[in-house]
Amino acid sequence: MQDFSENLHDVCNEKLGRHLVASLSIEAGDTLLEERPLLVTPHWECGQLKCAQCLQESYVMCRKCQVYPLCMDCSEHDAFECEFFASGAGCRIGKDLLVKNYSICGLLKLLLLLEQPELRAQCQLLVSRPIKLDDYRNEAGMWQEHEEHVVRPLMASGLAEALPGQQLSSDVLHAHCIRIDSNSFEVTGRDGEQLKGVYVCGAGLPHHCVPNTVVALDDQFNMKLYAAVPLATGDIIYASYTNPLMGTSQRQHQLRLSRHMECACTRCLDPTELGTHMSSMKCRECTDGYAVPDLSGTGDWHCLGVDCEGVIPAADVHELLAEVGGAMVEAKGELNAYEALLAQHKPLLHPNHFLLLDIKQNIASILRAEALMNSLNDPCKKLLARRVELCGDLLPVCRAVVPGISKLYAIALFEYLLTFVELTELQFAEADVDKKQYAALLSRARSVAKEALDLLQFEPENSAEGFLTERISMELERIESDIMKYGKL
Ligand SMILES: [Zn+2]
Ligand SMILES: [Zn+2]
Ligand SMILES: [Zn+2]
Ligand SMILES: [Zn+2]
């Protein structure tokens, strides 16, 4: 099930528990770990029934057990699960178990895996990890959600009596819920829906906001972990469980909620966030200074300018962030509202500030949708040029926050490439640029395409990134043929 190559071995220490380190020096792109998911399940809050077999939307139930949803394409699901409810120990449990309490399906899956002797060993690694329940018990959010939507309905369903060997109690179920949450990666289902994939080995890796590995997932949810940067003997293998385009306090907040951890990685401890300044504010006292948070003291933002003593109180910063966050929700996909927000807040924040990036990404995606709609009648150069500019702004930040082999950067390059080529072709068609200029612009596009392909070369073919690679290769072919045609003088 899990297979870590001779490149790695596991060690244990107090700070990280059991974790993996490099056994020898490893090159970027080398495979470190391959693993099938223990289980894939919708998020707890998912209300839409999913097919028990393929996880696409489903509206009918399995005829045999009448408990599990199936889709139009699937006629059966896991035989053990089906038998359990059709004629096994679970046959007396209400047939509406999942219809009424769909949130329990991930935990139910784990409980039934534990019933099967040949699969139990594989779950053991997950289930044997101790959970200090008292650290979680008094928390509102997560504990409450598990209690209300998963633990209570499961205890009331009669399942505990049907699985006597597991001695299920509320506490046992809570611990399982936490294990599922803290050992999962976000995976994308066939219908585009976000799901949770539980990977005993891969998702148990310690977190770092600047991970030294890349997680690749194919269309069967199989995981391949490979090195993002060269690794030296003894290097700890890290994965990331946050969005690198968020600022430090936002990432830490998310990690606290999802993984119950306090991150103290190099990026989190650096007020400039590795020189990206993704949380830096424009100083109010001097003209060109930026203020960064004082992470060890007051938490206020202090100007980095040599002779400047400018301070922005933390409360002011938090208020501003909350205000912009609210305005983003209010903007509801309105292009002008986002442009106004951008203009209003640009003077207050560092150009790389995560909020500006977020606004810019929103604008870029609206412009893409508009470009698609307008492409039949009048593709607008102004609109394309604006999108090229926005996508271009994102590139250096995406490059800086995830060094080495980065899917984030590859996707940002792809977005930039498409719009850049579209604009260039239009400029040439309308005679804004001559043949020579056109060929020069296309050779820039060619190097962008090659850089993106280079970053995606270790991704499996049957994955979203694999399709992206195909798409970029096609684009590259077109670019090269035009360079051949127009590049000759
Ligand atoms: Zn199906
Ligand atoms: Zn069934
Ligand atoms: Zn961190
Ligand atoms: Zn200043």
Side-chain angles (χ1 to χ4, degrees):
M1 171 82 12
Q2 315 108 26
D3 171 27
F4 48 90
S5 57
E6 68 273 19
N7 291 343
L8 305 180
H9 64 274
D10 54 349
V11 293
C12 196
N13 67 22
E14 205 176 320
K15 188 172 157 233
L16 294 174
R18 187 180 160 276
H19 61 279
L20 298 171
V21 298
S23 309
L24 39 105
S25 55
I26 292 169
E27 283 183 41
D30 281 359
T31 299
L32 300 171
L33 182 73
E34 285 178 289
E35 187 178 5
R36 290 215 310 269
L38 182 67
L39 57 97
V40 178
T41 176
H43 284 263
W44 304 122
E45 66 274 16
C46 174
Q48 165 64 51
L49 296 184
K50 303 267 181 195
C51 172
Q53 182 62 24
C54 70
L55 288 156
Q56 296 188 80
E57 280 192 11
S58 134
Y59 300 95
V60 288
M61 304 307 280
C62 169
R63 278 204 219 146
K64 198 171 161 205
C65 64
Q66 297 167 48
V67 170
Y68 281 92
L70 285 175
C71 72
M72 295 308 199
D73 302 331
C74 299
S75 55
E76 54 182 22
H77 59 106
D78 180 81
F80 185 91
E81 290 179 348
C82 195
E83 289 294 335
F84 178 81
F85 286 105
S87 53
C91 67
R92 267 191 285 274
I93 290 170
K95 299 295 179 202
D96 56 3
L97 177 69
L98 284 175
V99 174
K100 277 201 173 149
N101 313 291
Y102 193 56
S103 303
I104 70 165
C105 74
L107 181 54
L108 178 60
K109 184 131 202 127
L110 177 63
L111 296 178
L112 294 184
L113 284 175
L114 283 164
E115 284 297 296
Q116 304 170 64
E118 66 281 11
L119 297 174
R120 202 177 295 144
Q122 181 193 312
C123 306
Q124 216 49 49
L125 199 56
L126 180 81
V127 178
S128 62
R129 280 182 200 152
I131 302 280
K132 286 186 205 142
L133 280 182
D134 288 336
D135 290 354
Y136 296 82
R137 208 183 291 276
N138 294 323
E139 258 173 41
M142 188 167 79
W143 184 275
Q144 212 58 39
E145 196 188 354
H146 292 161
E147 172 67 25
E148 221 168 283
H149 300 294
V150 189
V151 176
R152 207 180 298 151
L154 227 154
M155 287 307 285
S157 68
L159 258 165
E161 292 74 31
L163 304 170
Q166 298 194 40
Q167 300 187 322
L168 296 176
S169 65
S170 291
D171 277 5
V172 171
L173 296 180
H174 269 291
H176 284 342
C177 287
I178 293 166
R179 289 184 183 109
I180 289 176
D181 281 346
S182 57
N183 287 281
S184 60
F185 282 117
E186 288 281 314
V187 302
T188 306
R190 264 177 239 172
D191 55 5
E193 197 82 23
Q194 283 307 107
L195 306 164
K196 273 192 297 201
V198 178
Y199 299 85
V200 175
C201 218
L205 294 171
H207 167 83
H208 197 294
C209 294
V210 191
N212 50 12
T213 60
V214 183
V215 175
L217 294 163
D218 71 13
D219 58 6
Q220 302 296 310
F221 308 117
N222 295 311
M223 189 196 75
K224 178 180 98 167
L225 188 82
Y226 59 89
V229 289
L231 302 173
T233 310
D235 277 359
I236 297 169
I237 308 302
Y238 287 108
S240 168
Y241 308 103
T242 57
N243 177 354
L245 290 180
M246 295 197 293
T248 291
S249 62
Q250 288 64 36
R251 289 192 320 283
Q252 290 188 326
H253 178 67
Q254 194 201 26
L255 288 167
R256 243 170 254 139
L257 287 181
S258 65
R259 295 235 156 198
H260 220 259
M261 64 166 286
E262 292 295 324
C263 189
C265 73
T266 41
R267 179 173 172 191
C268 285
L269 293 179
D270 177 356
T272 72
E273 302 198 27
L274 307 177
T276 62
H277 287 280
M278 285 183 66
S279 298
S280 302
M281 309 288 297
K282 184 86 195 59
C283 178
R284 294 166 181 175
E285 306 294 325
C286 64
T287 49
D288 53 2
Y290 289 102
V292 300
D294 170 14
L295 297 175
S296 51
T298 58
D300 293 340
W301 266 247
H302 290 260
C303 181
L304 292 175
V306 190
D307 292 317
C308 182
E309 309 230 310
V311 176
I312 310 174
D316 288 16
V317 177
H318 297 148
E319 196 182 321
L320 177 73
L321 298 189
E323 184 195 311
V324 184
M328 296 272 282
V329 178
E330 284 291 295
K332 293 190 187 107
E334 268 293 317
L335 182 61
N336 292 336
Y338 288 114
E339 288 283 13
L341 265 180
L342 188 61
Q344 186 190 348
H345 293 98
K346 233 173 162 173
L348 307 175
L349 307 168
H350 189 282
N352 288 349
H353 196 282
F354 72 90
L355 267 181
L356 295 183
L357 296 178
D358 197 6
I359 301 174
K360 284 178 182 181
Q361 279 177 299
N362 272 292
I363 297 175
S365 66
I366 297 170
L367 290 178
R368 178 168 57 179
E370 282 197 11
L372 283 176
M373 281 197 319
N374 290 335
S375 63
L376 289 175
N377 31 51
D378 179 28
C380 170
K381 269 189 286 188
K382 212 173 115 194
L383 199 139
L384 285 172
R386 176 72 177 129
R387 196 164 133 73
V388 168
E389 183 191 5
L390 291 165
C391 292
D393 285 354
L394 282 173
L395 290 179
V397 192
C398 292
R399 181 64 291 183
V401 290
V402 186
I405 302 173
S406 157
K407 283 198 275 191
L408 179 78
Y409 184 48
I411 292 165
L413 284 169
F414 168 71
E415 294 282 331
Y416 175 80
L417 174 73
L418 282 195
T419 323
F420 182 82
V421 170
E422 203 181 334
L423 177 63
T424 303
E425 285 173 345
L426 192 60
Q427 283 170 331
F428 183 54
E430 297 187 355
D432 298 345
V433 296
D434 63 19
K435 277 186 194 174
K436 203 176 148 197
Q437 288 166 316
Y438 180 52
L441 288 166
L442 286 183
S443 36
R444 163 151 174 72
R446 176 171 60 189
S447 55
V448 172
K450 284 185 173 170
E451 194 179 3
L453 287 176
D454 208 34
L455 292 169
L456 293 170
Q457 62 177 308
F458 303 104
E459 292 292 317
E461 266 173 44
N462 56 336
S463 67
E465 290 76 14
F467 292 126
L468 193 60
T469 303
E470 253 174 67
R471 180 82 175 73
I472 299 172
S473 304
M474 276 163 50
E475 198 72 19
L476 181 61
E477 235 170 78
R478 231 161 49 91
I479 293 169
E480 300 219 299
S481 92
D482 260 21
I483 292 178
M484 289 288 283
K485 201 157 135 198
Y486 298 104
K488 291 189 215 110
L489 290 171

